[in-house]
Amino acid sequence: MPTLSIDGIEVTVEAGQTVLQACEAAGVEVPRFCYHDRLEIAGNCRMCLVEMEGGPPKPIASCAMPAGDNMVIKTNTPAVKKAREGVMEFLLINHPLDCPICDQGGECDLQDQSMAYGKDHSRYTEVKRAVKDKNLGPLVKTTMTRCIHCTRCVRFITDVAGVEELGAVFRGEHTEIGTYVEAALTSELQGNLIDLCPVGALTSKPYAFTARPWELRHTETIDVHDAVGSNVRVDTRGRQVMRVLPLLNEDINEEWISDKTRFACDGLAKRRLDAVYVKQEGKLQQSDWDTGFDAIRDRLDGVDGSKIAAIAGDLACAESMTALKDLMTALGSANIDCRQDGAKIGTGARGGYLFNTTIAGIENADFCLLVGTDPRHEASILNARLRKRYLQGGFTIYSVGAELDATFPVTELGAGSDVLADIIAGRHDVCSQMVKSTRGMIIVGQSALARADGAQVLAGLKAIAEKTDMVTSDWNGFNVLHNAAARVAGLDLGLVPGEGGMDVAGMQAAGAKGDLDVVFLLGADEIDTNAFGDAFVVYIGSHGDNGAHHADVILPAAAYTEKPGTYVNTEGRVQRAERATFPPGDGREDWTILRALSERLGQTLSYDSLPELRARMVEIAPQLAAIDEIAASDWGDFGTAGDLSSDDLALADTDYYLSNPVCRASDTMAECSDLKLNTAEGATGTHG
Amino acid sequence: MSDQKEAFVFNDEMEAKAQNYLARYPKDRSASAVMPFLDLAQRQNGGWLSQAGMDYVADRLGLAPIRVYEVATFYSMYKLKPIGKVHVQVCTTTPCWLRGSDDVVGACKDVLGIGMGETTEDGKFSLAEVECLGACVNAPLIQVGDDYYEDLDATSAKALLEAFKRGDEVKPGPQVDRQTSAPVGGAKTLTHVEQG
């Protein structure tokens, strides 16, 4: 642990840290462009020059110099000031003075540091170089003349995203950042390049020229596009969500977010349900709340609870699911489910449906077995953590199931169910590795659990995890990876069929036979709504998507940016989302709709305010009380012992870019999806 | 950057050389062979690197294609566009310039009828100006292929290129009466051995 002096301040840092990190520890600001604490050190911008006493007779690049014991570093001498001014002058030689038309303006490192550390004028009168813009696809816009070659983007896409597609080609004065052969980036983390770029070379294409940073109102909230629960900042202007940016959370998303999280926000303004609709004479007619509620009351009149069912969708918050469950209980129905994909989980111990290792815990693992999951597309941020762990070395990854396009080397064991059966029985070769590992992990995906034998898969994996000591007092290597932000909260609240109740498949079968009278869909769009036959469908949701198409009554609700809500991520971490804006038109928060409806049905729910509702929620699931924490979960029985079916382990056929109603309403996501499909089919860049 | 899309594979001769290069590096460090591999690909492809060639090298060495493009674009000796069969590279760095490389350049332009960085219409000759070739003691000089033609002036440069045009064999090395970099016209010192 070296102790050094920074501008006279004594500071002790961990061995291996750099002088720049020591300066930060001492509270001394050092300007930088290329250095980023989550990327490899490049040392090529030279902005972080400081003086070292007794060192070489020239300034040193503090980002690349390891902190040593008894170093005396000075950052406030005339020499350092001159060095910074010199570097800044060189950086600006080829940088265009187009700040007024640059999207980075107002939040630009170059702008800020030029103000703070640069000279007040330029001595350069020659011609600036110009660089052709690169087409990197529908998400990242380039203005390459502005590039200062810090190579943050190259290092991010190579190391963190794990797809080597960007590089610095040509050299010297002619250096250009790009793909060389024109091609769209294929990473689902590429949006982070926009945040990383310290200048306006890489900016957001969908957001281009729409707003200035100082016009935006910031709301810190939680993302719901996957079950990771990334922390985000939603920027709004008026009531429109203009963009979504990541917030730092070391335990979850570090400082990255996936492209879906970032770019699907234009879907919040499209295809919105902004009025009550009631089906009259076979057609949905715009209506009002009273008429809508009356229609539901009339239809429910005299209907037995066993013929009523409810399904909660993938984006539902815990509050609205609490209200839905209470309403169904009041109506005497046990037919409730939050597992649209039919995953056979949620009955039994809580540890049986959580990502018990935790996302940050992945960094301590030494072995990983993926079962029927594609983390890159199901949870891109979690996948980035797996890759981070892989880069540290000593981490082997195996996969059972369909072949993966992973960002780290994976040993594919095959998709046959006999492979999985062998592993569960401890017969497979990989089992010796599982025994050898001290901190092994199994990650099982929804595709494996949504099979008819999902409960058997679950029980089998539990058994082998225990047998190979993956579950000990200080380590739990058994992990269920969810795709839906609502799922864990739904399971915590018990949104699974009660005694004698039907699950989603049961409801659909009953609907087809005419044994189901009324179905409530709380933002449930990932199911075949045709299957309910002649049942009366009440759709409560934000978008005119699958669920609304066959509805008899549509009640417009709030999207995730428009309501305060509680979400539990795949780890079981409870987080609060905040309201960034308001729902359009007649839209209301989901729980208030259910509360108002309950009163009309003569089954008034017992809460009139959000705090009261939350108290009720915690009464059902006490673990939801600890915000931002993972409640210690029990490890007991779950799953059902038994033989596996002989079907191959396939991955659910979901388009990453179109996995929920918000994405499906987003033009940006549609463009990404098109591009991906066409690239897969070998179409040329001239397509479309 | 080319439109050439056809597959590229080392021929037997290049493959043998490639194996030789691979053997020089540890198995998990085969990426180190990227530069000699690119050179082989360029030689096989008539003096320039096609994208197919670069992609092939990337594939052979387990590298992402962009990593190979970075190397290929960085070094001026990898050619990314088709060049003439006879690639005439004239050194114009200071020692050559002092010794009259301007005349040599002029002669080249005259004989070939093209400027720097250009290729003759028949695709036979390309002309390029290069930095120090490290043979200043024999300045000025021209590099053609792997060979140096040294101690040139306008006349000898013209003669040299005419010979190439005709397809004649020209002996590489000094184009004056000189053995490598020994004095012109034979030894000037130590001309006799004193007995005793």
Side-chain angles (χ1 to χ4, degrees), chain B residues 99-142:
Chain B
R99 297 273 297 147
S101 66
D102 283 353
D103 296 341
V104 177
V105 169
C108 292
K109 286 182 176 169
D110 280 354
V111 176
L112 302 177
I114 51 172
M116 286 297 170
E118 293 175 2
T119 303
T120 52
E121 264 173 33
D122 60 2
K124 194 168 178 200
F125 287 92
S126 289
L127 184 59
E129 186 178 23
V130 293
E131 297 306 327
C132 186
L133 292 173
C136 313
V137 73
N138 293 78
L141 73 151
I142 285 175

Side-chain angles (χ1 to χ4, degrees), chain B:
Chain B
M1 276 176 265
S2 80
D3 299 328
Q4 187 174 331
K5 287 278 184 251
E6 63 265 34
F8 181 95
V9 185
F10 280 153
N11 58 28
D12 291 345
E13 182 200 346
M14 296 302 171
E15 182 58 41
K17 287 182 179 164
Q19 290 302 334
N20 186 357
Y21 284 122
L22 273 183
R24 298 181 192 185
Y25 305 104
K27 280 230 157 46
D28 57 340
R29 295 279 189 276
S30 60
S32 301
V34 65
M35 293 189 57
F37 267 52
L38 283 173
D39 179 53
L40 295 179
Q42 175 161 294
R43 282 168 192 276
Q44 184 178 324
N45 196 43
W48 70 286
L49 275 170
S50 62
Q51 194 197 321
M54 291 189 279
D55 289 347
Y56 173 74
V57 170
D59 187 48
R60 280 294 299 267
L61 299 175
L63 288 164
I66 184 71
R67 296 282 94 88
V68 175
Y69 305 151
E70 283 180 323
V71 174
T73 55
F74 186 87
Y75 294 99
S76 61
M77 288 159 91
Y78 296 122
K79 304 295 168 198
L80 304 171
K81 286 181 201 147
I83 57 161
K85 282 200 185 68
V86 182
H87 188 214
V88 180
Q89 303 173 76
V90 191
C91 175
T92 57
T93 308
T94 318
C96 278
W97 175 66
L98 286 169
R99 297 273 297 147
S101 66
D102 283 353
D103 296 341
V104 177
V105 169
C108 292
K109 286 182 176 169
D110 280 354
V111 176
L112 302 177
I114 51 172
M116 286 297 170
E118 293 175 2
T119 303
T120 52
E121 264 173 33
D122 60 2
K124 194 168 178 200
F125 287 92
S126 289
L127 184 59
E129 186 178 23
V130 293
E131 297 306 327
C132 186
L133 292 173
C136 313
V137 73
N138 293 78
L141 73 151
I142 285 175
Q143 183 183 1
V144 177
D146 290 334
D147 297 321
Y148 282 5
Y149 299 88
E150 302 159 328
D151 297 309
L152 298 170
D153 56 21
T155 322
S156 58
K158 255 182 199 160
L160 178 70
L161 293 171
E162 295 292 356
F164 276 122
K165 267 191 166 175
R166 290 191 303 271
D168 293 352
E169 286 273 321
V170 186
K171 191 170 165 278
Q175 302 299 307
V176 293
D177 173 25
R178 185 180 190 187
Q179 184 193 359
T180 62
S181 52
V184 177
K188 294 278 197 286
T189 57
L190 301 177
T191 47
H192 64 281
V193 182
E194 281 195 25
Q195 303 296 324

Side-chain angles (χ1 to χ4, degrees), chain A residues 209-453:
Chain A
F209 309 131
T210 54
R212 282 301 197 182
W214 54 85
E215 303 172 319
L216 302 170
R217 207 165 55 88
H218 315 311
T219 309
E220 302 194 348
T221 183
I222 304 301
D223 170 59
V224 301
H225 287 286
D226 53 31
V228 170
S230 298
N231 290 201
V232 294
R233 192 184 91 187
V234 173
D235 283 3
T236 48
R237 187 178 57 190
R239 51 194 268 174
Q240 196 183 348
V241 174
M242 303 304 295
R243 62 174 180 179
V244 175
L245 298 177
L247 279 182
L248 183 72
N249 188 328
E250 294 290 355
D251 291 329
I252 304 174
N253 54 317
E254 299 184 273
E255 59 188 83
W256 320 124
I257 52 174
S258 72
D259 290 346
K260 198 154 56 171
T261 302
R262 185 187 301 263
F263 293 110
C265 62
D266 62 328
L268 290 165
K270 301 213 169 76
R271 279 205 235 163
R272 288 303 300 268
L273 298 172
D274 56 358
V276 176
Y277 284 86
V278 178
K279 196 174 257 177
Q280 285 159 343
E281 294 155 12
K283 265 192 166 168
L284 281 167
Q285 309 283 350
Q286 191 166 337
S287 184
D288 54 54
W289 288 101
D290 269 335
T291 320
F293 285 166
D294 284 346
I296 299 169
R297 184 194 55 198
D298 294 348
R299 184 64 187 83
L300 276 173
D301 196 30
V303 172
D304 186 67
S306 67
K307 295 196 162 186
I308 306 171
I311 300 172
D314 290 350
L315 308 182
C317 59
E319 284 81 356
S320 56
M321 287 191 285
T322 306
L324 182 68
K325 184 178 163 72
D326 282 350
L327 179 65
M328 293 308 286
T329 311
L331 293 173
S333 168
N335 307 323
I336 190 164
D337 207 344
C338 67
R339 303 161 303 181
Q340 291 188 84
D341 55 7
K344 311 288 182 291
I345 44 168
T347 47
R350 191 176 190 236
Y353 58 84
L354 293 186
F355 199 92
N356 293 299
T357 304
T358 73
I359 296 170
I362 291 172
E363 292 187 37
N364 300 322
D366 58 3
F367 170 90
C368 180
L369 175 68
L370 305 172
V371 181
T373 183
D374 172 17
R376 178 171 172 189
H377 295 105
E378 290 172 18
S380 314
I381 293 298
L382 190 143
N383 188 68
R385 198 70 82 123
L386 286 171
R387 175 162 171 85
K388 184 179 180 188
R389 175 65 193 89
Y390 156 72
L391 287 178
Q392 290 161 358
F395 187 48
T396 46
I397 305 141
Y398 292 83
S399 168
V400 190
E403 217 168 291
L404 301 178
D405 178 17
T407 60
F408 37 76
V410 175
T411 311
E412 307 268 2
L413 300 175
S417 105
D418 52 323
V419 178
L420 187 56
D422 282 353
I423 292 173
I424 288 172
R427 288 191 299 262
H428 199 279
D429 292 344
V430 79
C431 295
S432 62
Q433 293 253 22
M434 294 165 76
V435 173
K436 248 195 290 172
S437 71
T438 50
R439 291 193 182 286
M441 294 174 70
I442 293 177
I443 302 178
V444 54
Q446 300 304 300
S447 301
L449 299 175
R451 290 154 53 101
D453 59 355

